[in-house]
Amino acid sequence: MRPTRLLMVAVVAAVAALFGVKASLVDKLIYVEKLNGENYKDFVNSVDHLAVVYFLKHSTSSMSNFFKEFEKSAAIMTIYETKFGIVNCQTNPGIGHCDDKSSEEQVYIYRNGHLTIKVSLHSMFSVDSIISNVLQVVLLYEALILQSIEEKDNFIAENRGFSDVVFSYQKALGTYDHRILMEAIFVYHHSYKFALSNEQKTVEDLPHYSSAELSGIWLFRCKSVTQQDQNCPVYKFRGPMERANLSKFFQALELPSLVHDLGKGNGSDLFRESEINVLYVFYDGNVENAAKDLIEEFSSNYIGLMGIVTVNVNAVDMTNYTLPKSHRLPLLAFQSGGTNDLVYIEDQDAPANFVEKMLNMTSSDGEPHSSNMTETPEDEYDLESEIEVQDDAVAKLAFDLRDVTFARTHLPALTDKSFYSEVNERSLLIVLFYLDFDARNQIVVRLFAKAADVLAKDDQFPLATVECFDWTDVCGKANISIYPTIRIYRSNMEPVLYDGPLSVNSFVTAAKLHMMDNPVALSTTEEVLSFVEGDFPGEIKSHTNVAVVGAFRIEHMNYEKTFRMAAKELQGRYLCGIVKDNIAESICKTRGFKAPCIIASKRHDHLEPVAMVKLGTSVNELVGNIESAILPLLTELTSENFPVYFAMKKPLLILFTANTDSTYYHVISAMASEGTQHDVALLWMNISSPAGKLSPGEQILHHHVKEPNQEEILVINHATGQVHRFTESKISKESALMWLNKVTGGSIETTIRLSQEDWKPRVPAFDFLKMMDEDAVTRAEHETLNRQSERDEDFYDEESDEAFMMENEMRGNLEDEIQVELEQLKYSRLYQKSPKKLIHRPELASQSPNDSEDKVRSGVALGHTEL
């Protein structure tokens, strides 16, 4: 099935998850067991099988496709000791997860009575996706999922000297390739250690890697490697990802890759019995070295695809071979798997081309295939052939929330008629310009609506939206070209761009601060003190921790003017107040200064709650001075304030700690209070993980330090890419300052360097113009077909119905063939399979490779099987 068809099926399944399926469809299920109050517990608690259960809540036929795929998967998965069941929650309410809000959008998988995982219905849209996802759970301890090069290298190192390793890259899980891989792992997990990844970076260092690959398999010959510092020889599976090809690949690995014909002409019997391709190399003593070179090349590049038989023409009876009259040694000949005929090379100057051509002709479907699984060239690129990978967390969130409605009661949607009147009549209007079809815009609209609800509790309604796809003229006249864009309109003022964080609290704070005059006129000492504490005007301290007061006498008009203009620049970000004359003099004197002075109150800074701001002769200079003064001397580094510190282009001294009462923290606090940090920003990050997950601080620390201590100090310089680690056994203010002097002076060696990787897209971009052109061609073809169909509408309807029935029948026949194929696994010789039950033992995961392998193999006789 083409990817677009799969996508359509996924959409059908997604819609179906909301509405359910008719009971008649459930009644037709044969291999899916109907569960009720009597058999449900026994079904999910059984130790004889893995249980896959769907909880049906609604009744509609739109889910018929999912249940067809579910039924076919159930029939096939009986081979893998897995059973499928369905609970009709309409007739059996309260059973299992029937009462869970989102259970109809999940498929539940149980092992020994315990819920192992819930898989989204959108990931179970076809037989391939269902089987591959379920097998991933069945083989939980036999098919490890690795996400980094380091994890892959460690896995290989652990098995060095114990077992060969098979590592696979799958661009997307739930595909046909993923299913074929998991089926192979089920059969061969006793013989090899398996791991897989959908992270492309894990295979970028492997031989014959191509960034265009949708999937790939590499074999690491580690079992025979005895030295821990010795690398495991690595080979790539180069055939198409088909069940028969992969099966022959694993079987060929168990056979000797090189056989010498001893004169009886039966050198290929070993390979022929297993229907494996054979490459013959004819040679004599004069070209023995050249023959060895060919053998070495082909044995490493085509491992698992063919065996090699060497024939010394001077040492064996050649009556069994008919060499071409015109040839030179070494001579190559190819024998397709299971046949007796030899095809001799014609162009002896191109041996690699000959082997490639012959392998192409013997692919599983009889059609030539590429020896590497790659996408089509750019000039023949077919977008539909690309398997999409969701690498955008925001887009995923938007997709997950697509069915979760939200109220826009207090967020009016403006049109070409209401926009201009609202802007002219309101004293404050904050407008979100957005596109409704974009994921990022969809999330921002939700946050904007929540902010509007918060403001509405105080009877404040300053927020509104304009959807630019519907009202292109409004957005065009407003010169909006980036989405989302937030503009702030105030009476008799030019609109300004909101460039703060896209969060509910940030939207509310900006709206609150824009509703106030900036600067606020303060006329008494009490008002100044109340303003500094955040109690005037209103309860503003719940929205901002900063207040800036400018104190000026009448003769300081130039400073006052500059301050007022700076306050306008800071409107919506920080609240400023202004006090004059005698009160101004008194306010400055309490801080040991004479008027004019500017005081910054920082309620979030326990080391320096009040700071003096340097006077500026220009608006830009004063704005910079205020922004610098209001920064805490020592604060926790978060995702919200990191852009501020990153923009300062200063080195960041970061204390990683879980205890703000430790010696390390007190030392850094003392350095901050005394201002002895040498133009370095002092910060700390929390590395505690109360929820059991790594905190952002822990993740960053482990990225830089492989085995960190309980507390660590790093100086990270993003400008130079240098990272320095404090390594003294004990810390004091003096030792920390001495170390920092060496770091800033360049006299201490860099611990590590930040990577200089390019930030490239993980998946190819869409060529929308080409898609539009192709769509136009397709539309024209459809119009031609429609005109032809109108000539005989009855015939057209009959043909379309017949085509639909034939397509369903063909799909059903294909899956039936696959099922028969898998049934024969139990009795065939091509696969290696344990005749006993596959026992999953989690405790084996923590044991050494040789221990776990011995325990799994004990009492289990391995036998040859064939597909």
Side-chain angles (χ1 to χ4, degrees):
M1 187 184 293
R2 296 175 65 83
T4 49
R5 295 281 301 282
L6 290 176
L7 184 59
M8 291 172 63
V9 174
V11 172
V12 171
V15 174
L18 299 178
F19 301 105
V21 63
K22 285 184 177 179
S24 58
L25 290 174
V26 177
D27 295 337
K28 294 179 181 179
L29 299 177
I30 299 173
Y31 293 96
V32 177
E33 188 168 343
K34 289 85 171 176
L35 305 179
N36 52 44
E38 297 180 358
N39 62 356
Y40 170 76
K41 289 186 177 180
D42 291 339
F43 185 83
V44 298
N45 290 329
S46 174
V47 296
D48 296 325
H49 63 257
L50 198 76
V52 182
V53 182
Y54 179 71
F55 296 89
L56 171 67
K57 290 186 177 181
H58 299 92
S59 296
T60 177
S61 60
S62 58
M63 231 182 148
S64 59
N65 188 82
F66 166 74
F67 273 89
K68 289 176 183 176
E69 304 298 300
F70 203 60
E71 169 76 357
K72 292 174 184 176
S73 302
I76 295 172
M77 289 300 292
T78 56
I79 301 169
Y80 301 109
E81 299 155 358
T82 300
K83 292 186 178 181
F84 285 53
I86 180 173
V87 177
N88 190 335
C89 296
Q90 294 175 319
T91 57
N92 298 280
I95 294 180
H97 295 273
C98 279
D99 295 335
D100 291 2
K101 183 177 180 181
S102 60
S103 60
E104 62 184 348
E105 298 179 11
Q106 313 281 343
V107 174
Y108 292 72
I109 303 178
Y110 300 84
R111 184 199 297 273
N112 298 331
H114 300 288
L115 178 61
T116 302
I117 193 172
K118 294 184 291 184
V119 183
S120 170
L121 207 63
H122 311 306
S123 300
M124 308 281 271
F125 50 81
S126 66
V127 172
D128 292 334
S129 61
I130 294 173
I131 292 179
S132 59
N133 278 303
V134 174
L135 280 179
Q136 193 71 62
V137 179
V138 172
L139 300 166
L140 192 61
Y141 307 107
E142 288 79 17
L144 302 183
I145 297 179
L146 310 179
Q147 297 298 339
S148 67
I149 295 178
E150 182 181 10
E151 289 181 353
K152 178 199 68 182
D153 292 343
N154 290 339
F155 180 71
I156 293 169
E158 290 170 1
N159 288 284
R160 191 179 290 120
F162 300 113
S163 174
D164 290 339
V165 172
V166 178
F167 185 79
S168 176
Y169 164 69
Q170 298 289 325
K171 186 173 185 178
L173 302 183
T175 62
Y176 174 77
D177 287 6
H178 183 212
R179 171 187 171 179
I180 294 303
L181 173 70
M182 298 311 300
E183 290 175 349
I185 295 176
F186 181 87
V187 175
Y188 288 103
H189 71 274
H190 293 299
S191 302
Y192 303 92
K193 298 297 181 182
F194 288 89
L196 68 152
S197 177
N198 61 351
E199 291 288 342
Q200 206 164 22
K201 61 186 178 184
T202 59
V203 292
E204 290 176 344
D205 61 335
L206 298 182
H208 303 294
Y209 158 76
S210 171
S211 59
E213 287 183 324
L214 303 180
S215 62
I217 294 178
W218 284 264
L219 170 71
F220 293 81
R221 288 289 200 183
C222 295
K223 191 171 185 178
S224 59
V225 176
T226 57
Q227 302 297 325
Q228 287 301 311
D229 58 348
Q230 183 181 354
N231 292 328
C232 301
V234 56
Y235 308 97
K236 185 180 181 184
F237 166 65
R238 301 186 65 195
M241 188 71 85
E242 299 289 346
R243 184 179 291 106
N245 293 327
L246 200 55
S247 302
K248 289 181 180 180
F249 170 75
F250 281 109
Q251 186 199 11
L253 296 180
E254 301 301 316
L255 301 176
S257 60
L258 179 64
V259 174
H260 302 287
D261 191 330
L262 301 179
K264 298 180 180 180
N266 59 354
S268 65
D269 287 351
L270 184 64
F271 300 112
R272 190 186 303 111
E273 289 176 3
S274 301
E275 298 186 354
I276 293 176
N277 303 318
V278 183
L279 179 70
Y280 284 82
V281 181
F282 297 92
Y283 71 99
D284 61 17
N286 297 323
V287 296
E288 188 171 353
N289 290 333
K292 288 181 179 179
D293 292 340
L294 287 174
I295 294 169
E296 183 177 353
E297 176 186 354
F298 293 130
S299 62
S300 60
N301 289 337
Y302 298 95
I303 187 171
L305 292 183
M306 63 183 186
I308 299 178
V309 174
T310 63
V311 182
N312 187 334
V313 297
N314 293 331
V316 301
D317 181 4
M318 294 298 293
T319 56
N320 294 305
Y321 302 104
T322 307
L323 302 186
K325 293 182 179 180
S326 176
H327 71 270
R328 69 175 187 270
L329 300 179
L331 175 68
L332 301 183
F334 191 90
Q335 186 180 63
S336 298
T339 67
N340 295 317
D341 298 331
L342 269 66
V343 178
Y344 291 90
I345 186 173
E346 295 180 357
D347 184 0
Q348 291 194 247
D349 293 325
N353 292 342
F354 169 71
V355 174
E356 285 278 353
K357 176 183 177 181
M358 298 310 299
L359 287 173
N360 287 341
M361 294 175 63
T362 58
S363 62
S364 62
D365 54 6
E367 297 291 336
H369 64 80
S370 171
S371 61
N372 284 309
M373 296 163 286
T374 61
E375 299 170 356
T376 52
E378 247 183 67
D379 56 345
E380 300 176 3
Y381 179 72
D382 179 9
L383 178 69
E384 295 180 348
S385 68
E386 175 63 48
I387 297 178
E388 295 190 30
V389 177
Q390 180 55 271
D391 66 335
D392 188 335
V394 176
K396 183 181 185 304
L397 177 61
F399 182 78
D400 292 340
L401 294 175
R402 69 199 180 284
D403 299 321
V404 180
T405 58
F406 65 99
R408 293 190 47 153
T409 309
H410 307 112
L411 187 64
L414 304 182
T415 67
D416 58 344
K417 293 181 174 59
S418 58
F419 173 76
Y420 302 103
S421 60
E422 290 290 322
V423 169
N424 293 329
E425 294 172 5
R426 291 207 197 188
S427 59
L428 173 66
L429 184 65
I430 304 177
V431 181
L432 167 64
F433 298 88
Y434 73 103
L435 293 173
D436 189 50
F437 59 79
D438 177 71
R440 189 165 182 261
N441 287 255
Q442 292 168 6
I443 298 299
V444 174
V445 171
R446 288 177 177 271
L447 299 176
F448 217 59
K450 289 183 179 180
D453 292 340
V454 174
L455 292 166
K457 294 178 181 178
D458 295 330
D459 292 327
Q460 297 167 337
F461 309 94
L463 307 187
T465 65
V466 174
E467 207 287 307
C468 290
F469 186 80
D470 290 336
W471 305 107
T472 55
D473 53 342
V474 175
C475 299
K477 291 179 181 178
N479 198 27
I480 303 296
S481 58
I482 298 175
Y483 310 93
T485 291
I486 299 176
R487 285 261 182 90
I488 301 168
Y489 296 87
R490 302 191 71 192
S491 299
N492 303 318
M493 296 180 64
E494 289 293 321
V496 296
L497 177 70
Y498 172 80
D499 58 358
L502 302 178
S503 65
V504 174
N505 290 337
S506 299
F507 293 151
V508 172
T509 297
K512 291 282 187 180
L513 293 179
H514 274 289
M515 292 177 191
M516 300 177 182
D517 294 330
N518 209 31
V520 177
L522 307 172
S523 56
T524 66
T525 303
E526 290 73 19
E527 283 185 352
V528 173
L529 295 176
S530 182
F531 179 82
V532 168
E533 291 297 325
D535 297 325
F536 177 83
E539 289 293 324
I540 196 63
K541 66 182 176 184
S542 61
H543 301 289
T544 178
N545 291 313
V546 175
V548 181
V549 179
F552 309 98
R553 293 181 63 85
I554 193 170
E555 60 267 26
H556 305 140
M557 291 185 61
N558 289 337
Y559 286 115
E560 180 185 342
K561 181 180 179 181
T562 303
F563 179 77
R564 288 184 180 276
M565 295 175 66
K568 295 299 181 185
E569 288 287 325
L570 297 170
Q571 178 99 42
R573 296 162 58 197
Y574 307 111
L575 188 60
C576 299
I578 190 167
V579 62
K580 296 183 179 181
D581 301 333
N582 293 334
I583 299 177
E585 189 71 47
S586 173
I587 294 296
C588 292
K589 190 176 293 185
T590 58
R591 297 297 171 185
F593 290 89
K594 291 183 179 181
C597 71
I598 301 175
I599 301 171
S601 171
K602 304 181 291 181
R603 292 184 294 275
H604 59 315
D605 189 353
H606 67 282
L607 296 179
E608 187 186 44
V610 177
M612 299 304 296
V613 180
K614 294 179 181 179
L615 297 174
T617 58
S618 68
V619 175
N620 288 339
E621 181 186 1
L622 183 55
V623 168
N625 292 343
I626 292 173
E627 290 179 332
S628 178
I630 63 179
L631 289 176
L633 296 184
L634 175 63
T635 189
E636 182 178 5
L637 183 63
T638 65
S639 58
E640 289 196 354
N641 63 17
F642 172 75
V644 175
Y645 289 98
F646 182 78
M648 293 167 61
K649 298 182 179 180
K650 289 183 178 182
L652 307 181
L653 186 151
I654 306 176
L655 166 64
F656 294 88
T657 183
N659 181 13
T660 54
D661 194 32
S662 67
T663 302
Y664 273 73
Y665 187 86
H666 288 307
V667 166
I668 302 302
S669 296
M671 292 170 58
S673 299
E674 297 176 10
T676 54
Q677 61 267 32
H678 298 279
D679 202 30
V680 173
L682 300 185
L683 305 159
W684 71 278
M685 293 198 75
N686 190 355
I687 59 173
S688 61
S689 301
K693 296 182 179 180
L694 287 179
S695 65
E698 281 184 291
Q699 294 180 46
I700 294 173
L701 178 58
H702 282 276
H703 177 76
H704 294 304
V705 182
K706 299 306 178 186
E707 296 181 0
N709 298 316
Q710 289 186 342
E711 292 182 290
E712 291 280 357
I713 296 177
L714 300 179
V715 172
I716 302 176
N717 191 333
H718 290 94
T720 63
Q722 295 175 312
V723 179
H724 293 85
R725 179 187 182 190
F726 181 79
T727 56
E728 301 290 336
S729 57
K730 293 184 179 180
I731 188 172
S732 64
K733 186 178 68 174
E734 291 73 20
S735 64
L737 282 174
M738 185 179 299
W739 172 75
L740 187 57
N741 285 333
K742 293 179 180 179
V743 171
T744 55
S747 60
I748 188 171
E749 188 175 344
T750 302
T751 306
I752 60 172
R753 285 191 170 274
L754 300 177
S755 60
Q756 299 294 327
E757 298 177 5
D758 294 332
W759 289 73
K760 296 180 179 179
R762 293 178 59 188
V763 295
F766 288 147
D767 187 344
F768 287 106
L769 293 178
K770 185 174 183 179
M771 291 168 61
M772 292 170 64
D773 292 340
E774 293 174 348
D775 185 58
V777 173
T778 303
R779 194 182 303 114
E781 293 174 351
H782 286 175
E783 290 175 356
T784 302
L785 291 174
N786 288 338
R787 285 194 295 270
Q788 180 180 355
S789 66
E790 289 173 359
R791 299 169 188 168
D792 192 348
E793 186 175 348
D794 293 337
F795 176 76
Y796 173 79
D797 291 339
E798 182 180 343
E799 287 292 305
S800 62
D801 290 341
E802 184 179 352
F804 179 77
M805 295 174 64
M806 288 178 62
E807 180 185 358
N808 282 341
E809 184 178 353
M810 289 173 64
R811 286 182 58 202
N813 290 341
L814 175 61
E815 292 301 334
D816 291 341
E817 291 174 9
I818 293 176
Q819 183 181 351
V820 171
E821 224 177 339
L822 289 170
E823 286 285 358
Q824 293 174 348
L825 279 172
K826 298 178 180 179
Y827 317 108
S828 57
R829 290 189 302 106
L830 190 56
Y831 279 118
Q832 290 185 10
K833 183 177 183 296
S834 166
K836 293 192 176 182
K837 178 182 295 293
L838 177 63
I839 302 174
H840 297 284
R841 300 177 60 184
E843 66 272 13
L844 297 183
S846 60
Q847 300 172 351
S848 63
N850 55 333
D851 290 338
S852 84
E853 183 172 349
D854 289 341
K855 290 190 177 183
V856 172
R857 287 174 179 262
S858 61
V860 180
L862 296 179
H864 261 311
T865 56
E866 176 184 31
L867 182 63

